[in-house]
């Protein structure tokens, strides 16, 4: 663990695991904005997770797979055989937005605005300009409000989709408040749209860059669980999720380093998931061997609740790409562009689909 003027940086696998599994000592209430459920602690967090985790159950994901596959098939069918495609923008973002619309039951007319929002949100995040990021966040809240508010007057009608179900959800015997609904939907969608596109870019790049990985991935096509292990491993090698924050609730220590009450910590997932003390060769693609130590989706009580949805979407998208191609490769004259902190993965990545 290392220090800077604001944060103690957690960069080893053991230290990260110790921090994220001790939610009493290391609080997730680090933002001045309402963040449900990831910015809550203790029983309040647990109550929201009990209410919201069923939306990502195995049964719910199985029921959603057909709709997600239809979106993936449509996106992949637009790719000309033999063409080189910028996979973040032309595959990842388009797929993420349309899959989200299908999952939540939002109108297709929002597609272009949401695509525009993902691009602007990434640019604002890279800029580090608080005013710009606040404006982009408010833009997304306004989109959610336009979807949610008309539904609030129709509680007597049966729920027609996931969004209807959410606004009827109760936590500890009470109805969700509007700010909580907005925050949940922002958590479910706002971050995940860009994140899913980054994940798709990482996965497709590694398959295109390494024939051994491509051969292994194609051999797993008929085994969904084996394919998920491969996706997780590719994300571990080049983690698009850069960091999470915590704040110490008491004086303690991490990895032998004193931590004072109120000290802020930054868990840096990229070095954590490439820690040679846990992964002897961090660059080696070993899905089964590295699965037990993979922290791409976090760990402990705040482990990512949306992982089942993200993995369903990534698996189905990859299956459709594998079925439509015989080879993925990288064009020699188009190296792409890495994403800048606080984003990970690729900002632009051309891939040739044969």
């Amino acid at each position: 663990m290392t220090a800077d003027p604001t944060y103690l940086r957690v960069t080893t696998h053991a230290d990260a695991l110790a921090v994220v599994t001790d939610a009493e000592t290391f609080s997730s209430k680090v933002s001045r904005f309402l963040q449900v459920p990831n910015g809550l602690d203790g029983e309040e967090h647990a109550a929201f997770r009990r209410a919201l985790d069923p939306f990502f159950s195995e049964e719910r994901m199985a029921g959603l797979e057909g709709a997600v596959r239809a979106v993936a098939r449509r996106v992949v069918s637009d790719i000309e055989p033999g063409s080189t495609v910028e996979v973040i923008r032309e595959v990842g973002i388009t797929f993420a937005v349309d899959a989200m619309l299908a999952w939540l039951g939002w109108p297709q007319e929002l597609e272009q605005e949401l695509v525009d929002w993902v691009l602007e949100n990434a640019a604002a995040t890279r800029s580090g300009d608080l005013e710009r990021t606040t404006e982009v966040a408010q833009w997304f809240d306004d989109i959610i409000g336009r979807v949610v508010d008309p539904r609030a007057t129709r509680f007597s009608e049966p729920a027609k989709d996931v969004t209807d179900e959410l606004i009827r959800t109760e936590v500890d015997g009470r109805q969700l408040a509007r700010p909580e609904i907005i925050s949940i939907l922002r958590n479910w969608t706002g971050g995940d749209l860009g994140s899913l596109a980054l994940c798709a870019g990482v996965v497709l790049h590694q398959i295109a860059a390494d024939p051994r990985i491509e051969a292994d991935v194609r051999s797993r096509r008929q085994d969904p669980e084996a394919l998920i292990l491969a996706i997780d491993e590719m994300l571990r090698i080049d983690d698009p999720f850069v960091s999470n924050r915590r704040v110490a609730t008491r004086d303690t220590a991490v990895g032998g380093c004193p931590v004072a009450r109120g000290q802020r910590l930054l868990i840096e997932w990229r070095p954590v998931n490439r820690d040679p003390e846990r992964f002897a060769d961090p660059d080696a693609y070993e899905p089964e061997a590295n699965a037990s130590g993979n922290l791409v989706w976090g760990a402990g009580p705040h482990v990512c609740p949306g992982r089942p949805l993200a993995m369903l979407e990534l698996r189905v998208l990859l299956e459709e790409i594998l079925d439509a191609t015989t080879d993925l490769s990288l064009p020699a004259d188009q190296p792409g562009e890495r994403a800048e902190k606080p984003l990970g993965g690729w900002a632009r990545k051309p891939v040739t689909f044969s």
Side-chain angles (χ1 to χ4, degrees), residues 70-72 74-76 78 89-102 105-120 139-140 143 146-147 193:
V71 171
R74 185 171 68 247
V75 171
V76 173
D78 288 340
R89 171 66 181 83
E90 297 179 49
V91 177
I93 293 176
T94 300
F95 171 71
V97 167
D98 284 359
M100 188 206 81
L101 294 175
W106 289 12
Q108 193 65 34
E109 296 77 49
L110 286 173
E111 179 189 40
Q112 188 56 55
E113 184 176 7
L114 288 168
V115 168
D116 293 342
W117 180 86
V118 172
L119 296 171
E120 176 58 23
W139 177 13
F140 196 77
I143 295 173
R146 297 203 308 267
V147 173
L193 290 174

Side-chain angles (χ1 to χ4, degrees), residues 1-10 19 25-33 35 244-250 252 254 257-267:
M1 189 161 78
T2 58
D4 68 27
T6 307
Y7 289 97
L8 291 178
R9 297 171 55 242
V10 181
V19 169
T25 303
F26 302 101
S27 169
S28 292
K29 286 188 175 181
V30 295
S31 175
R32 58 196 177 96
F33 300 107
Q35 295 183 331
N244 282 129
R245 296 177 293 166
R246 296 291 192 274
V247 61
T249 62
R250 61 180 179 86
T252 184
V254 176
C257 178
V259 178
R261 181 178 183 272
Q263 174 65 58
R264 293 179 176 269
L265 298 93
L266 191 70
I267 306 162

Side-chain angles (χ1 to χ4, degrees), residues 40-334:
L40 305 176
D41 288 328
E43 178 52 34
E44 184 181 25
H45 172 259
F48 274 97
R49 288 294 294 257
R50 286 193 296 270
L52 299 176
D53 282 3
F55 283 95
F56 304 98
S57 69
E58 185 176 344
E59 181 180 7
R60 296 292 292 258
M61 295 301 97
L64 180 63
E65 181 168 338
V68 171
R69 191 171 299 281
V71 171
R73 193 163 291 167
R74 185 171 68 247
V75 171
V76 173
S77 69
D78 288 340
I79 301 173
E80 292 291 333
S83 65
T84 297
V85 176
E86 200 291 282
V87 294
I88 309 299
R89 171 66 181 83
E90 297 179 49
V91 177
I93 293 176
T94 300
F95 171 71
V97 167
D98 284 359
M100 188 206 81
L101 294 175
W103 175 50
L104 292 178
W106 289 12
Q108 193 65 34
E109 296 77 49
L110 286 173
E111 179 189 40
Q112 188 56 55
E113 184 176 7
L114 288 168
V115 168
D116 293 342
W117 180 86
V118 172
L119 296 171
E120 176 58 23
N121 184 57
T125 301
R126 288 194 301 271
S127 76
D129 184 331
L130 180 59
E131 182 177 352
R132 186 175 179 184
T133 55
T134 300
E135 289 176 354
V136 173
Q138 185 58 56
W139 177 13
F140 196 77
D141 285 1
D142 291 344
I143 295 173
I144 297 173
R146 297 203 308 267
V147 173
V148 168
D149 289 344
R151 297 167 182 250
T153 63
R154 304 199 299 264
F155 267 46
S156 59
E157 301 176 13
K160 297 178 180 178
D161 51 41
V162 168
T163 303
D164 278 354
E165 292 180 50
L166 175 64
I167 64 178
R168 289 163 171 77
T169 297
E170 294 185 354
V171 176
D172 286 341
R174 66 168 180 83
Q175 206 85 43
L176 290 172
R178 184 182 185 277
E180 292 170 335
I181 294 170
I182 297 291
S183 179
I184 292 165
L185 287 170
R186 187 193 312 122
N187 175 258
W188 281 0
T189 59
D192 289 346
L193 290 174
S195 297
L196 191 69
L198 291 172
C199 287
V202 164
V203 168
L204 293 175
H205 165 256
Q206 290 198 47
I207 293 172
D210 191 331
R212 293 168 300 174
I213 292 179
E214 179 166 17
D216 180 73
V217 168
R218 289 188 182 277
S219 75
R220 297 167 183 260
R221 167 62 184 90
Q222 302 305 321
D223 186 341
E225 291 306 315
L227 197 56
I228 284 173
L229 282 177
I231 293 169
D232 264 343
E233 175 68 347
M234 287 184 277
L235 296 177
R236 181 199 65 78
I237 292 171
D238 187 7
D239 195 339
F241 306 118
V242 173
S243 63
N244 282 129
R245 296 177 293 166
R246 296 291 192 274
V247 61
T249 62
R250 61 180 179 86
D251 292 347
T252 184
V254 176
C257 178
V259 178
R261 181 178 183 272
Q263 174 65 58
R264 293 179 176 269
L265 298 93
L266 191 70
I267 306 162
E268 298 202 359
W269 293 115
R270 291 177 62 81
V272 164
N273 274 308
R274 296 177 54 80
D275 183 353
E277 291 296 319
R278 179 59 181 82
F279 308 99
D281 182 354
D283 287 320
Y285 168 81
E286 299 179 0
E288 280 72 24
N290 292 330
S292 63
N294 195 321
L295 297 180
V296 164
W297 306 97
H302 285 82
V303 65
C304 179
R307 179 185 182 274
L309 176 63
M311 293 308 293
L312 167 69
E313 292 173 333
L314 288 168
R315 173 179 63 81
V316 168
L317 176 62
L318 184 53
E319 287 172 349
E320 292 302 316
I321 289 173
L322 294 174
D323 289 351
T325 62
T326 56
D327 179 65
L328 301 180
S329 60
L330 299 179
D333 60 340
Q334 300 179 53

